[in-house]
Amino acid sequence: MAGMKDAQRVTDAAVREVAGPADGIALFGDLPRTARFELEPARRFIDHAAQEYRKCLDSRDADGVPSHLPRASGLLFGQFDGNEITISDIEFVPNVRDSDESVMAEFEGTIAPRFGDVYRNPGRGFWSDEKGVLQAIKDRFTSGLELMGSIHSHPNWHEIGPPHERYQKLSEHPTLMDEYLFRQSCWPVNVIWYVHENSRGMAHRVAGWRPGTDECDRLDIRIPSAICEAFNVESLPGV
Amino acid sequence: MPDVSHSVSKSLPAPVVTIKLPTAFNALTGGQKQVDVEGDSIREVLSGLERSFPGVLERLMDQKGSVKRYVNVYRNDSDIRGLEGLETKVENQDVIWIVPAVAGGSGTTGAQESR
């Protein structure tokens, strides 16, 4: 019983010390600055993102307005060698943004009031099924692969979306809500894959982000050149 | 024969559980991926974790003393939110998984114009 009370005091004291958001510099420390993708996880994600984007384009009505919002996201697994992170596996788990009651409540109660009513639209944002995340971690634990973070797509919705939503310009940069979630969860690798169209057809720009003290800092993302050449991918270097 | 189960149980050492730590906590744990901690409940083992790695609880708990919505704590396969929360009892050789949420998404423009 005494031990329990001690534990309660320790927990309570630690909680009381949390005067502000959990953004102390110690939390972010020396997060790696480079993440290198191996071929297979990059190829699997681009297949998924491209398929979603095409489905979106195919859903356009007579006025050119699509009914399908292209969403692709995945869990990134790899290893850190002390210098850089290598991403060697990807797992796609269900997005429960619009089906898990507690997640929907989080969007309604916290995210929408803070970042705008657009997040009351259940088609906005992703939240990976938490049981699926745990299982994916367990499946790779013995092989030494760790969950390093996530990747998700941003479409050029400001160009192809419904007219009333075109004021929202998206890119490979994090939205304010992205930054909030990246810094809350503190995964070291957060990749945004921007899908758009240019004169050569479907094109991609990729950037990585790591949580920092005040905002997210650029992560140097290395995509295999074979992927960049085959799929019209531009990978932005870190700064 | 007198019932001694209560006094016997009080003299037993606390269970030892293994806490699996996410890479998200590397900066706090020096890259340590798991740690064995004593305690009778999730609250006790998390307090033990805090003693080993000061600052961890700041990542885990909100100002009301609850586990943050953006962090999941599992006893073996079970989310403690579906059990008794921080008061969930643990047993020897239980594995406690700490798994931050994986979430994000498009919606509004961010700070990109300034970068």
Side-chain angles (χ1 to χ4, degrees), chain B residues 28-40:
Chain B
L28 292 169
T29 64
Q32 202 161 325
K33 299 178 188 347
Q34 63 181 48
V35 61
D36 290 343
V37 178
E38 275 188 11
D40 286 311

Side-chain angles (χ1 to χ4, degrees), chain A residues 106 126 131 138 147 178 184, chain B residues 23 47 59 70 77 104-105 108:
Chain A
E106 183 67 18
F126 79 95
K131 284 280 190 181
K138 286 182 171 180
L147 181 56
D178 280 324
Q184 287 291 324
Chain B
T23 53
S47 297
R59 288 302 314 160
Y70 301 95
D77 286 324
T108 58

Side-chain angles (χ1 to χ4, degrees), chain A residues 24 30 36 65 85 105 111 118 120 131 137 177 190 214 227:
Chain A
D30 298 320
R36 181 183 303 278
V65 177
I85 290 171
I111 293 175
V118 66
R120 297 193 197 282
K131 284 280 190 181
I137 291 172
M177 183 273 221
N190 303 278
D214 298 319
I227 293 286

Side-chain angles (χ1 to χ4, degrees), chain B residues 17-94:
Chain B
V17 304
T18 299
I19 301 181
K20 303 279 191 183
L21 301 160
T23 53
F25 285 15
N26 273 358
L28 292 169
T29 64
Q32 202 161 325
K33 299 178 188 347
Q34 63 181 48
V35 61
D36 290 343
V37 178
E38 275 188 11
D40 286 311
S41 66
I42 293 292
R43 181 186 296 280
E44 288 189 26
V45 298
L46 292 184
S47 297
L49 184 65
E50 171 72 14
R51 285 191 287 274
S52 298
F53 306 113
V56 162
L57 281 187
E58 191 179 332
R59 288 302 314 160
L60 290 172
M61 315 287 280
D62 62 23
Q63 295 183 48
K64 295 176 183 170
S66 303
V67 176
K68 290 179 178 177
R69 181 62 191 89
Y70 301 95
V71 181
N72 303 294
V73 179
Y74 299 92
R75 189 195 69 182
N76 304 319
D77 286 324
S78 302
D79 187 336
I80 65 165
R81 291 188 184 92
L83 301 173
E84 294 174 63
L86 291 170
E87 310 313 325
T88 301
K89 296 296 182 192
V90 298
E91 297 178 0
N92 231 9
Q93 300 185 342
D94 274 350

Side-chain angles (χ1 to χ4, degrees), chain A residues 1-238:
Chain A
M1 193 66 188
M4 204 165 187
K5 283 184 176 173
D6 287 346
Q8 175 82 56
R9 277 196 293 274
V10 170
T11 312
D12 291 347
V15 169
R16 275 197 303 275
E17 288 170 10
V18 185
D23 300 335
I25 193 161
L27 302 178
F28 304 108
D30 298 320
L31 289 177
R33 294 176 179 275
T34 303
R36 181 183 303 278
F37 275 72
E38 291 185 347
L39 191 66
E40 192 60 12
R43 187 195 60 75
R44 288 185 63 201
F45 183 78
I46 200 168
D47 280 350
H48 181 34
Q51 188 177 29
E52 276 289 298
Y53 194 79
R54 284 193 200 96
K55 190 174 175 183
C56 167
L57 297 182
D58 290 345
S59 75
R60 287 179 292 192
D61 63 17
D63 296 321
V65 177
S67 58
H68 179 73
L69 198 159
R71 295 191 296 180
S73 61
L75 310 179
L76 299 176
F77 286 87
Q79 292 176 305
F80 178 52
D81 65 3
N83 183 40
E84 66 179 26
I85 290 171
T86 298
I87 301 298
S88 51
D89 199 3
I90 188 169
E91 174 83 19
F92 301 106
V93 300
N95 174 11
V96 296
R97 157 68 183 96
D98 57 0
S99 59
D100 183 297
E101 285 186 12
S102 70
V103 170
M104 290 189 287
E106 183 67 18
F107 272 82
E108 276 296 314
T110 303
I111 293 175
R114 183 177 295 208
F115 300 106
D117 283 345
V118 66
Y119 289 107
R120 297 193 197 282
N121 177 350
R124 295 294 184 138
F126 79 95
W127 195 294
S128 300
D129 174 60
E130 288 159 343
K131 284 280 190 181
V133 174
L134 176 63
Q135 190 58 52
I137 291 172
K138 286 182 171 180
D139 289 345
R140 289 160 179 82
F141 196 80
T142 52
S143 60
L145 294 183
E146 293 182 272
L147 181 56
M148 294 294 176
S150 67
I151 182 170
H152 74 273
S153 66
H154 280 182
N156 58 333
W157 203 236
H158 53 285
E159 294 171 336
I160 64 171
H164 68 281
E165 293 190 16
R166 291 189 179 181
Y167 67 95
Q168 299 160 347
K169 186 175 181 181
L170 295 174
S171 71
E172 67 281 10
H173 291 261
T175 64
L176 292 174
M177 183 273 221
D178 280 324
E179 292 212 46
Y180 173 74
L181 289 178
F182 293 167
R183 294 173 73 238
Q184 287 291 324
S185 54
C186 213
W187 294 109
V189 179
N190 303 278
V191 179
I192 299 177
W193 193 286
Y194 177 59
V195 188
H196 62 117
E197 290 178 296
N198 64 19
S199 57
R200 296 166 57 196
M202 193 184 304
H204 310 262
R205 284 206 310 265
V206 185
W209 306 91
R210 60 196 182 103
T213 306
D214 298 319
E215 59 182 11
C216 287
D217 300 324
R218 185 74 69 81
L219 183 67
D220 194 4
I221 291 289
R222 309 287 175 86
I223 304 292
S225 57
I227 293 286
C228 293
E229 291 163 10
F231 294 96
N232 199 7
V233 176
E234 182 184 359
S235 177
L236 302 184

